[in-house]
Amino acid sequence: MHPSLAVNVGDWIRTELVEPHGLKIKDLAEHFGVSRQALSALLNGRAHLSADMAIRFEMAFGVKADTLMRMQVAWDMAQARTREADLHVRPLVAA
């Protein structure tokens, strides 16, 4: 996937789930049983989505945790691909 097509899952959750419902991060964090700082870091792109947090969003909003986790992996891979040229690894075996 080209990096420009990947979506940061935290940003997507914020704009598509949290903001449309008029929720405050503090209130949602309390509802989820997590710290406001942890939730804020996720929603503002400073932290990655964990499987546990994905399940919390599934339970609260009905969006499949598997879908959210695939979005996270796609984002991670797209970011890694932008740095691929900086990696200097030779093949160990012929493909």
Side-chain angles (χ1 to χ4, degrees):
M1 170 184 293
H2 191 274
S4 66
L5 299 176
V7 175
N8 180 288
V9 69
D11 184 55
W12 185 88
I13 290 170
R14 181 176 42 80
T15 60
E16 300 299 321
L17 300 177
V18 176
E19 289 175 352
H21 287 91
L23 298 167
K24 296 186 184 313
I25 293 176
K26 176 183 171 279
D27 296 334
L28 186 57
E30 185 177 303
H31 183 76
F32 280 0
V34 300
S35 72
R36 182 196 59 76
Q37 293 86 352
L39 186 58
S40 177
L42 169 65
L43 299 179
N44 289 298
R46 296 187 313 272
H48 292 242
L49 178 70
S50 69
D52 287 344
M53 189 69 83
I55 291 171
R56 285 178 169 92
F57 278 102
E58 178 179 273
M59 294 171 78
F61 294 98
V63 177
K64 292 291 187 185
D66 298 60
T67 299
L68 296 174
M69 292 305 297
R70 281 193 298 275
M71 289 173 71
Q72 181 66 61
V73 170
W75 174 260
D76 291 345
M77 286 302 300
Q79 297 308 302
R81 289 291 184 195
T82 66
R83 299 182 303 273
E84 185 175 16
D86 297 333
L87 303 174
H88 303 288
V89 179
R90 293 179 319 204
L92 288 175
V93 296

Coordinates of all heavy atoms in Angstrom, one line a residue:
M1 N 0.8 -1.2 0.0 CA 0.0 0.0 0.0 C 0.9 1.2 0.0 O 1.8 1.3 0.8 CB -0.9 0.0 1.2 CG -1.6 1.3 1.5 SD -2.6 1.4 3.0 CE -3.8 0.2 2.6
H2 N 0.6 2.2 -0.8 CA 1.3 3.4 -0.9 C 1.1 4.2 0.4 O -0.1 4.2 0.9 CB 0.9 4.2 -2.1 CG 1.8 5.4 -2.3 ND1 1.6 6.6 -1.7 CD2 2.9 5.5 -3.1 CE1 2.5 7.4 -2.1 NE2 3.3 6.8 -3.0
P3 N 2.1 4.8 1.0 CA 1.9 5.5 2.3 C 0.9 6.5 2.3 O 0.2 6.8 3.3 CB 3.3 6.1 2.5 CG 4.3 5.2 1.8 CD 3.5 4.7 0.6
S4 N 0.6 7.1 1.2 CA -0.4 8.2 1.1 C -1.8 7.7 1.3 O -2.7 8.4 1.5 CB -0.3 9.0 -0.2 OG -0.6 8.2 -1.3
L5 N -2.0 6.3 1.1 CA -3.3 5.7 1.2 C -3.6 5.2 2.6 O -4.8 5.0 2.9 CB -3.4 4.6 0.2 CG -3.3 4.9 -1.3 CD1 -3.4 3.7 -2.1 CD2 -4.4 5.9 -1.7
A6 N -2.6 5.1 3.4 CA -2.8 4.6 4.8 C -3.4 5.7 5.7 O -3.2 6.9 5.5 CB -1.5 4.2 5.4
V7 N -4.3 5.2 6.6 CA -5.0 6.2 7.5 C -4.5 5.9 8.9 O -4.5 4.7 9.3 CB -6.5 5.9 7.4 CG1 -7.3 6.8 8.4 CG2 -7.0 6.2 5.9
N8 N -4.2 6.9 9.6 CA -3.8 6.7 11.0 C -5.1 6.4 11.8 O -6.1 7.1 11.8 CB -3.3 8.0 11.6 CG -2.9 7.9 13.1 OD1 -3.7 7.8 13.9 ND2 -1.6 7.8 13.3
V9 N -5.1 5.2 12.4 CA -6.3 4.7 13.0 C -6.8 5.6 14.2 O -8.0 5.7 14.3 CB -6.2 3.2 13.5 CG1 -5.2 3.1 14.6 CG2 -7.5 2.6 13.8
G10 N -5.9 6.2 14.9 CA -6.3 7.0 16.0 C -7.0 8.3 15.5 O -8.1 8.7 16.0
D11 N -6.5 8.8 14.4 CA -7.2 10.0 13.8 C -8.5 9.6 13.2 O -9.5 10.3 13.4 CB -6.3 10.5 12.7 CG -6.8 11.8 12.0 OD1 -7.1 12.7 12.8 OD2 -7.0 11.8 10.8
W12 N -8.6 8.4 12.6 CA -9.9 8.0 12.1 C -10.9 7.8 13.2 O -12.1 8.2 13.1 CB -9.7 6.6 11.3 CG -11.0 6.2 10.6 CD1 -11.4 6.5 9.4 CD2 -12.0 5.3 11.2 NE1 -12.6 5.9 9.1 CE2 -13.0 5.2 10.2 CE3 -12.1 4.7 12.4 CZ2 -14.1 4.4 10.4 CZ3 -13.3 3.9 12.6 CH2 -14.2 3.8 11.6
I13 N -10.5 7.2 14.3 CA -11.4 6.9 15.4 C -11.9 8.3 16.0 O -13.1 8.5 16.2 CB -10.7 6.1 16.5 CG1 -10.5 4.7 16.1 CG2 -11.5 6.2 17.8 CD1 -9.6 3.8 17.0
R14 N -11.0 9.2 16.1 CA -11.4 10.6 16.6 C -12.4 11.2 15.7 O -13.4 11.7 16.2 CB -10.1 11.4 16.8 CG -10.4 12.8 17.3 CD -9.2 13.7 17.6 NE -8.1 13.6 16.5 CZ -8.2 14.2 15.4 NH1 -9.2 15.0 15.1 NH2 -7.2 14.1 14.5
T15 N -12.1 11.3 14.4 CA -13.0 12.0 13.5 C -14.3 11.3 13.1 O -15.3 11.9 12.8 CB -12.2 12.4 12.2 OG1 -11.8 11.2 11.5 CG2 -11.0 13.3 12.5
E16 N -14.2 10.0 13.1 CA -15.4 9.2 12.7 C -16.3 8.7 13.8 O -17.4 8.4 13.6 CB -15.0 8.0 11.8 CG -14.2 8.5 10.5 CD -15.1 9.4 9.6 OE1 -16.3 9.1 9.5 OE2 -14.5 10.3 9.0
L17 N -15.7 8.5 15.0 CA -16.5 7.9 16.1 C -16.6 8.9 17.3 O -17.7 9.1 17.7 CB -15.8 6.6 16.6 CG -15.6 5.5 15.6 CD1 -14.9 4.3 16.2 CD2 -17.0 5.1 15.1
V18 N -15.5 9.4 17.7 CA -15.6 10.2 19.0 C -16.2 11.6 18.7 O -17.2 12.0 19.4 CB -14.2 10.4 19.6 CG1 -14.2 11.3 20.8 CG2 -13.6 9.0 19.9
E19 N -15.7 12.4 17.8 CA -16.2 13.7 17.5 C -17.7 13.7 17.1 O -18.5 14.6 17.6 CB -15.3 14.5 16.5 CG -14.0 14.8 17.1 CD -13.0 15.5 16.1 OE1 -13.3 15.5 14.9 OE2 -12.0 15.9 16.5
P20 N -18.1 12.9 16.2 CA -19.5 12.9 15.8 C -20.5 12.6 16.9 O -21.7 13.0 16.9 CB -19.6 11.8 14.7 CG -18.2 11.7 14.1 CD -17.3 11.9 15.3
H21 N -20.0 11.9 17.9 CA -20.9 11.6 19.1 C -20.8 12.7 20.2 O -21.4 12.6 21.2 CB -20.6 10.2 19.6 CG -21.1 9.1 18.8 ND1 -20.3 8.6 17.8 CD2 -22.3 8.5 18.7 CE1 -21.0 7.6 17.2 NE2 -22.2 7.6 17.7
G22 N -20.0 13.7 19.9 CA -19.8 14.8 20.8 C -19.2 14.4 22.2 O -19.4 15.0 23.2
L23 N -18.3 13.4 22.1 CA -17.7 12.8 23.4 C -16.5 13.6 23.7 O -15.7 14.0 22.9 CB -17.4 11.4 23.2 CG -18.6 10.4 22.9 CD1 -18.1 9.1 22.5 CD2 -19.4 10.3 24.2
K24 N -16.3 13.8 25.0 CA -15.0 14.3 25.5 C -14.1 13.2 25.8 O -14.5 12.1 26.3 CB -15.3 15.2 26.8 CG -16.2 16.4 26.5 CD -16.2 17.2 27.8 CE -17.2 18.4 27.6 NZ -17.1 19.2 26.5
I25 N -12.8 13.4 25.6 CA -11.8 12.3 25.8 C -11.8 11.9 27.3 O -11.8 10.7 27.5 CB -10.4 12.8 25.4 CG1 -10.3 13.0 23.9 CG2 -9.3 11.8 25.8 CD1 -9.0 13.6 23.4
K26 N -12.0 12.8 28.2 CA -12.0 12.5 29.6 C -13.2 11.5 29.9 O -13.0 10.5 30.6 CB -12.2 13.7 30.4 CG -12.3 13.5 31.9 CD -12.5 14.9 32.6 CE -12.9 14.7 34.1 NZ -14.3 14.4 34.2
D27 N -14.3 11.8 29.4 CA -15.5 11.0 29.6 C -15.4 9.6 29.0 O -15.7 8.6 29.6 CB -16.8 11.7 29.1 CG -17.1 13.0 29.9 OD1 -16.6 13.1 31.0 OD2 -17.7 13.8 29.3
L28 N -14.9 9.6 27.7 CA -14.7 8.3 27.1 C -13.6 7.4 27.8 O -13.8 6.2 27.9 CB -14.3 8.5 25.6 CG -14.2 7.3 24.7 CD1 -15.6 6.5 24.7 CD2 -13.8 7.6 23.3
A29 N -12.6 8.1 28.2 CA -11.5 7.3 28.9 C -12.1 6.7 30.2 O -11.8 5.6 30.5 CB -10.4 8.3 29.3
E30 N -12.9 7.5 30.9 CA -13.5 7.0 32.1 C -14.4 5.8 31.8 O -14.4 4.8 32.5 CB -14.3 8.1 32.8 CG -14.9 7.7 34.1 CD -15.6 8.9 34.8 OE1 -15.0 9.9 35.0 OE2 -16.8 8.7 35.1
H31 N -15.2 5.9 30.7 CA -16.1 4.8 30.3 C -15.3 3.6 29.9 O -15.8 2.5 30.2 CB -16.9 5.3 29.1 CG -17.9 4.3 28.6 ND1 -19.1 4.1 29.2 CD2 -17.9 3.5 27.5 CE1 -19.8 3.2 28.5 NE2 -19.1 2.8 27.5
F32 N -14.2 3.7 29.3 CA -13.3 2.6 28.9 C -12.5 2.1 30.0 O -11.9 1.0 29.9 CB -12.4 3.0 27.8 CG -13.0 3.1 26.4 CD1 -14.3 2.8 26.2 CD2 -12.2 3.4 25.3 CE1 -14.8 2.8 24.9 CE2 -12.7 3.5 24.0 CZ -14.0 3.2 23.8
G33 N -12.3 2.8 31.1 CA -11.5 2.4 32.2 C -10.0 2.5 31.9 O -9.2 1.7 32.3
V34 N -9.6 3.6 31.1 CA -8.3 3.8 30.8 C -7.9 5.3 31.1 O -8.9 6.1 31.4 CB -8.0 3.6 29.3 CG1 -8.3 2.2 28.9 CG2 -8.8 4.6 28.4
S35 N -6.7 5.6 31.1 CA -6.3 7.0 31.5 C -6.7 8.0 30.3 O -6.6 7.6 29.1 CB -4.8 7.1 31.8 OG -4.0 7.0 30.6
R36 N -6.9 9.2 30.7 CA -7.2 10.2 29.7 C -6.0 10.4 28.8 O -6.1 10.6 27.6 CB -7.6 11.6 30.3 CG -7.9 12.6 29.3 CD -7.9 14.0 29.9 NE -6.6 14.4 30.5 CZ -5.5 14.7 29.8 NH1 -5.6 14.8 28.5 NH2 -4.4 15.1 30.5
Q37 N -4.8 10.3 29.4 CA -3.5 10.5 28.6 C -3.4 9.4 27.6 O -2.9 9.7 26.5 CB -2.3 10.5 29.6 CG -2.3 11.7 30.5 CD -3.1 11.5 31.8 OE1 -3.8 10.6 32.0 NE2 -3.0 12.5 32.7
A38 N -3.7 8.2 28.0 CA -3.5 7.1 27.0 C -4.4 7.2 25.8 O -4.1 7.0 24.7 CB -3.7 5.7 27.7
L39 N -5.7 7.6 26.1 CA -6.7 7.7 25.0 C -6.3 8.9 24.2 O -6.4 8.9 22.9 CB -8.1 7.9 25.6 CG -9.2 7.9 24.6 CD1 -9.2 6.6 23.7 CD2 -10.6 8.0 25.3
S40 N -5.9 10.0 24.8 CA -5.6 11.2 24.0 C -4.4 10.9 23.1 O -4.4 11.4 22.0 CB -5.2 12.4 25.0 OG -4.8 13.5 24.3
A41 N -3.4 10.2 23.6 CA -2.2 9.9 22.8 C -2.6 9.1 21.6 O -2.1 9.3 20.5 CB -1.2 9.1 23.6
L42 N -3.5 8.1 21.7 CA -4.0 7.3 20.6 C -4.8 8.2 19.6 O -4.5 8.2 18.4 CB -5.0 6.2 21.1 CG -5.7 5.5 20.0 CD1 -4.8 4.7 19.1 CD2 -6.8 4.6 20.6
L43 N -5.7 9.0 20.1 CA -6.6 9.8 19.2 C -5.8 10.9 18.5 O -6.3 11.4 17.5 CB -7.7 10.4 20.0 CG -8.7 9.3 20.6 CD1 -9.8 10.0 21.4 CD2 -9.2 8.4 19.6
N44 N -4.6 11.3 19.1 CA -3.8 12.4 18.4 C -2.6 11.8 17.7 O -1.7 12.6 17.4 CB -3.5 13.4 19.5 CG -4.7 14.2 19.9 OD1 -5.3 14.9 19.1 ND2 -5.1 14.1 21.2
G45 N -2.6 10.5 17.5 CA -1.5 9.9 16.7 C -0.2 9.8 17.4 O 0.8 9.5 16.7
R46 N -0.1 9.9 18.7 CA 1.1 9.7 19.4 C 1.3 8.3 20.0 O 2.4 8.0 20.5 CB 1.2 10.7 20.6 CG 1.2 12.2 20.1 CD 1.5 13.2 21.2 NE 0.7 12.9 22.4 CZ -0.5 13.4 22.6 NH1 -1.1 14.2 21.7 NH2 -1.2 13.2 23.7
A47 N 0.3 7.5 19.9 CA 0.4 6.1 20.4 C -0.3 5.2 19.4 O -1.2 5.6 18.6 CB -0.3 6.0 21.7
H48 N 0.1 3.9 19.4 CA -0.5 2.9 18.6 C -1.7 2.3 19.2 O -1.9 2.3 20.5 CB 0.5 1.8 18.3 CG 1.6 2.3 17.4 ND1 1.9 1.7 16.2 CD2 2.6 3.2 17.6 CE1 2.9 2.3 15.7 NE2 3.4 3.2 16.5
L49 N -2.6 1.8 18.4 CA -3.8 1.1 18.9 C -3.4 -0.3 19.4 O -2.8 -1.1 18.7 CB -4.9 1.0 17.8 CG -6.1 0.2 18.1 CD1 -7.0 1.0 19.1 CD2 -6.9 -0.1 16.9
S50 N -3.8 -0.6 20.6 CA -3.6 -2.0 21.2 C -4.8 -2.8 20.9 O -5.9 -2.3 20.6 CB -3.3 -1.9 22.7 OG -4.5 -1.6 23.4
A51 N -4.6 -4.2 21.0 CA -5.8 -5.1 20.8 C -6.8 -4.8 21.8 O -8.0 -4.8 21.5 CB -5.3 -6.5 20.8
D52 N -6.4 -4.6 23.1 CA -7.4 -4.3 24.2 C -8.2 -3.1 23.9 O -9.4 -3.1 24.1 CB -6.7 -4.2 25.5 CG -6.1 -5.5 26.1 OD1 -6.6 -6.6 25.6 OD2 -5.3 -5.5 27.0
M53 N -7.5 -2.0 23.4 CA -8.2 -0.8 23.1 C -9.1 -1.0 21.9 O -10.3 -0.4 21.9 CB -7.2 0.3 22.9 CG -7.9 1.7 22.8 SD -8.6 2.3 24.3 CE -7.1 3.0 25.1
A54 N -8.7 -1.7 20.9 CA -9.6 -2.0 19.8 C -10.9 -2.7 20.2 O -11.9 -2.4 19.7 CB -8.8 -2.8 18.8
I55 N -10.7 -3.6 21.2 CA -11.9 -4.3 21.7 C -12.8 -3.4 22.4 O -14.1 -3.4 22.3 CB -11.5 -5.5 22.5 CG1 -10.9 -6.6 21.6 CG2 -12.7 -6.1 23.3 CD1 -10.2 -7.8 22.4
R56 N -12.3 -2.4 23.2 CA -13.1 -1.4 23.8 C -13.9 -0.6 22.8 O -15.1 -0.4 23.0 CB -12.2 -0.5 24.7 CG -11.7 -1.1 26.0 CD -10.8 -0.1 26.7 NE -10.5 -0.6 28.0 CZ -9.4 -1.3 28.3 NH1 -8.5 -1.7 27.4 NH2 -9.2 -1.6 29.6
F57 N -13.3 -0.2 21.7 CA -14.0 0.5 20.7 C -15.1 -0.3 20.0 O -16.1 0.2 19.7 CB -13.0 1.1 19.7 CG -12.4 2.4 20.1 CD1 -11.1 2.4 20.6 CD2 -13.1 3.6 20.1 CE1 -10.5 3.6 21.1 CE2 -12.5 4.8 20.6 CZ -11.3 4.8 21.0
E58 N -14.8 -1.6 19.8 CA -15.8 -2.5 19.3 C -17.0 -2.6 20.2 O -18.1 -2.5 19.7 CB -15.2 -3.9 19.1 CG -16.2 -4.9 18.5 CD -15.5 -6.3 18.3 OE1 -15.0 -6.5 17.2 OE2 -15.6 -7.1 19.2
M59 N -16.7 -2.8 21.5 CA -17.8 -2.9 22.4 C -18.7 -1.6 22.5 O -19.9 -1.7 22.6 CB -17.3 -3.3 23.8 CG -16.6 -4.7 23.8 SD -15.8 -5.0 25.3 CE -17.2 -5.4 26.4
A60 N -18.0 -0.5 22.4 CA -18.7 0.8 22.6 C -19.4 1.3 21.3 O -20.5 1.9 21.4 CB -17.7 1.9 23.1
F61 N -18.7 1.1 20.2 CA -19.2 1.7 18.9 C -19.6 0.7 17.9 O -20.2 1.1 16.8 CB -18.2 2.6 18.3 CG -17.9 3.8 19.2 CD1 -16.8 3.8 20.0 CD2 -18.7 4.9 19.1 CE1 -16.5 4.9 20.8 CE2 -18.4 6.1 19.9 CZ -17.3 6.1 20.7
G62 N -19.3 -0.6 18.1 CA -19.7 -1.6 17.1 C -18.8 -1.8 15.9 O -19.0 -2.6 15.0
V63 N -17.7 -1.1 15.9 CA -16.7 -1.2 14.8 C -15.8 -2.4 15.2 O -15.3 -2.4 16.3 CB -15.8 0.1 14.6 CG1 -14.8 -0.1 13.6 CG2 -16.7 1.2 14.3
K64 N -15.7 -3.4 14.3 CA -14.9 -4.6 14.6 C -13.5 -4.3 15.0 O -12.8 -3.5 14.3 CB -14.9 -5.5 13.4 CG -16.3 -6.1 13.1 CD -16.7 -7.1 14.2 CE -17.9 -7.8 13.8 NZ -18.3 -8.7 14.9
A65 N -13.1 -4.9 16.1 CA -11.7 -4.7 16.5 C -10.7 -5.2 15.5 O -9.6 -4.5 15.3 CB -11.5 -5.5 17.8
D66 N -11.0 -6.2 14.8 CA -10.1 -6.7 13.7 C -9.9 -5.7 12.6 O -8.8 -5.6 12.1 CB -10.7 -8.0 13.1 CG -10.9 -9.1 14.1 OD1 -11.6 -8.9 15.1 OD2 -10.3 -10.2 13.9
T67 N -11.0 -5.0 12.3 CA -10.9 -3.9 11.3 C -9.9 -2.8 11.7 O -9.1 -2.4 11.0 CB -12.2 -3.4 10.9 OG1 -13.1 -4.4 10.4 CG2 -12.2 -2.2 9.9
L68 N -10.1 -2.4 13.0 CA -9.3 -1.4 13.5 C -7.8 -1.8 13.6 O -6.9 -1.0 13.3 CB -9.8 -1.0 14.9 CG -11.2 -0.3 15.0 CD1 -11.6 -0.1 16.4 CD2 -11.2 1.0 14.2
M69 N -7.6 -3.0 14.0 CA -6.2 -3.6 14.1 C -5.6 -3.6 12.7 O -4.4 -3.4 12.5 CB -6.2 -4.9 14.8 CG -6.5 -4.8 16.3 SD -5.5 -3.7 17.2 CE -3.8 -4.4 17.0
R70 N -6.4 -4.0 11.7 CA -5.8 -4.0 10.3 C -5.5 -2.6 9.8 O -4.5 -2.4 9.1 CB -6.8 -4.7 9.3 CG -6.8 -6.2 9.4 CD -7.6 -6.8 8.2 NE -9.0 -6.5 8.2 CZ -10.0 -7.1 8.9 NH1 -9.7 -8.1 9.7 NH2 -11.2 -6.7 8.8
M71 N -6.3 -1.7 10.2 CA -5.9 -0.3 9.9 C -4.6 0.1 10.6 O -3.8 0.8 9.9 CB -7.0 0.7 10.4 CG -8.3 0.6 9.6 SD -9.7 1.6 10.3 CE -9.1 3.2 10.0
Q72 N -4.4 -0.3 11.8 CA -3.1 0.0 12.5 C -1.9 -0.6 11.8 O -0.9 0.0 11.6 CB -3.2 -0.5 14.0 CG -2.0 -0.2 14.8 CD -1.7 1.3 15.0 OE1 -2.6 2.0 15.6 NE2 -0.6 1.9 14.5
V73 N -2.1 -1.9 11.4 CA -1.0 -2.6 10.7 C -0.7 -1.9 9.4 O 0.5 -1.8 9.0 CB -1.3 -4.1 10.6 CG1 -0.3 -4.8 9.7 CG2 -1.3 -4.8 11.9
A74 N -1.7 -1.6 8.7 CA -1.5 -0.9 7.4 C -0.8 0.4 7.5 O 0.1 0.7 6.8 CB -2.9 -0.7 6.7
W75 N -1.1 1.2 8.6 CA -0.5 2.4 8.9 C 1.0 2.2 9.2 O 1.9 2.8 8.7 CB -1.2 3.1 10.0 CG -0.4 4.4 10.5 CD1 0.4 4.5 11.6 CD2 -0.5 5.7 9.9 NE1 0.8 5.8 11.7 CE2 0.4 6.5 10.6 CE3 -1.1 6.1 8.7 CZ2 0.6 7.8 10.3 CZ3 -0.9 7.5 8.4 CH2 0.0 8.3 9.1
D76 N 1.2 1.2 10.1 CA 2.6 0.9 10.5 C 3.5 0.5 9.3 O 4.6 0.9 9.2 CB 2.6 -0.3 11.5 CG 2.0 0.1 12.9 OD1 1.9 1.4 13.1 OD2 1.7 -0.8 13.7
M77 N 2.9 -0.4 8.4 CA 3.7 -0.8 7.3 C 3.9 0.3 6.3 O 5.0 0.4 5.8 CB 2.9 -2.0 6.5 CG 3.0 -3.3 7.2 SD 4.7 -3.9 7.5 CE 5.3 -4.0 5.8
A78 N 3.0 1.2 6.1 CA 3.2 2.3 5.2 C 4.3 3.2 5.8 O 5.1 3.7 5.0 CB 1.8 3.1 5.1
Q79 N 4.3 3.5 7.1 CA 5.3 4.3 7.7 C 6.7 3.6 7.5 O 7.7 4.3 7.2 CB 5.0 4.6 9.2 CG 3.7 5.4 9.4 CD 3.7 6.6 8.5 OE1 4.5 7.5 8.7 NE2 2.7 6.7 7.7
A80 N 6.7 2.3 7.8 CA 8.0 1.6 7.6 C 8.5 1.6 6.2 O 9.7 1.8 5.9 CB 7.8 0.2 8.1
R81 N 7.6 1.5 5.2 CA 8.0 1.5 3.8 C 8.6 2.9 3.4 O 9.5 2.9 2.6 CB 6.8 1.3 2.9 CG 6.3 -0.2 2.9 CD 7.3 -1.1 2.3 NE 6.8 -2.5 2.3 CZ 7.5 -3.5 2.1 NH1 8.8 -3.4 1.8 NH2 7.0 -4.7 2.1
T82 N 8.2 4.0 4.1 CA 8.8 5.3 3.8 C 10.3 5.3 4.2 O 11.0 6.1 3.7 CB 8.0 6.4 4.4 OG1 8.1 6.4 5.8 CG2 6.6 6.5 4.0
R83 N 10.7 4.4 5.1 CA 12.0 4.4 5.7 C 12.8 3.2 5.1 O 13.9 2.9 5.5 CB 12.0 4.4 7.2 CG 11.4 5.6 7.8 CD 11.4 5.5 9.3 NE 10.8 4.3 9.9 CZ 9.5 4.2 10.2 NH1 8.7 5.2 10.0 NH2 9.0 3.1 10.7
E84 N 12.2 2.4 4.2 CA 12.8 1.2 3.7 C 14.2 1.4 3.1 O 15.1 0.6 3.3 CB 11.8 0.6 2.7 CG 12.3 -0.7 2.2 CD 11.2 -1.3 1.2 OE1 10.3 -0.6 0.8 OE2 11.3 -2.6 1.0
A85 N 14.4 2.5 2.4 CA 15.7 2.8 1.7 C 16.8 2.9 2.7 O 18.0 2.8 2.4 CB 15.6 4.0 0.8
D86 N 16.5 3.3 4.0 CA 17.5 3.5 5.0 C 18.0 2.1 5.6 O 19.0 2.1 6.3 CB 16.9 4.4 6.1 CG 16.6 5.7 5.6 OD1 17.2 6.2 4.6 OD2 15.7 6.4 6.2
L87 N 17.3 1.1 5.3 CA 17.7 -0.2 5.8 C 18.7 -0.9 4.9 O 18.5 -0.9 3.7 CB 16.4 -1.1 5.9 CG 15.3 -0.6 6.8 CD1 14.1 -1.5 6.8 CD2 15.8 -0.4 8.2
H88 N 19.8 -1.4 5.4 CA 20.8 -2.0 4.6 C 21.0 -3.4 5.1 O 21.8 -3.7 5.9 CB 22.1 -1.2 4.8 CG 21.9 0.2 4.4 ND1 21.8 0.7 3.1 CD2 21.8 1.4 5.1 CE1 21.6 2.0 3.0 NE2 21.7 2.4 4.3
V89 N 20.2 -4.3 4.5 CA 20.1 -5.7 4.8 C 20.3 -6.5 3.6 O 19.5 -6.3 2.6 CB 18.8 -6.1 5.6 CG1 18.8 -7.6 5.9 CG2 18.6 -5.2 6.8
R90 N 21.3 -7.4 3.6 CA 21.5 -8.3 2.4 C 20.7 -9.6 2.6 O 20.5 -10.0 3.7 CB 22.9 -8.7 2.3 CG 23.8 -7.5 1.9 CD 25.2 -8.0 1.8 NE 25.4 -8.9 2.9 CZ 26.6 -9.2 3.5 NH1 27.7 -8.7 3.0 NH2 26.7 -10.0 4.5
P91 N 20.2 -10.2 1.5 CA 19.5 -11.4 1.6 C 20.4 -12.5 2.2 O 21.6 -12.6 1.9 CB 19.1 -11.8 0.2 CG 19.2 -10.5 -0.6 CD 20.3 -9.7 0.1
L92 N 19.8 -13.4 3.0 CA 20.5 -14.6 3.5 C 20.4 -15.8 2.6 O 21.3 -16.6 2.5 CB 20.1 -14.9 4.9 CG 20.5 -13.9 6.0 CD1 19.8 -14.3 7.3 CD2 22.0 -13.9 6.2
V93 N 19.2 -15.8 2.0 CA 18.9 -17.0 1.1 C 18.3 -16.4 -0.2 O 17.7 -15.3 -0.2 CB 18.0 -18.0 1.7 CG1 18.6 -18.6 2.9 CG2 16.7 -17.3 2.1
A94 N 18.5 -17.2 -1.3 CA 17.9 -16.7 -2.6 C 16.4 -16.9 -2.5 O 15.9 -17.9 -1.9 CB 18.4 -17.6 -3.7
A95 N 15.7 -16.0 -3.0 CA 14.2 -16.0 -3.0 C 13.6 -17.1 -4.0 O 14.2 -17.4 -4.9 CB 13.6 -14.7 -3.3

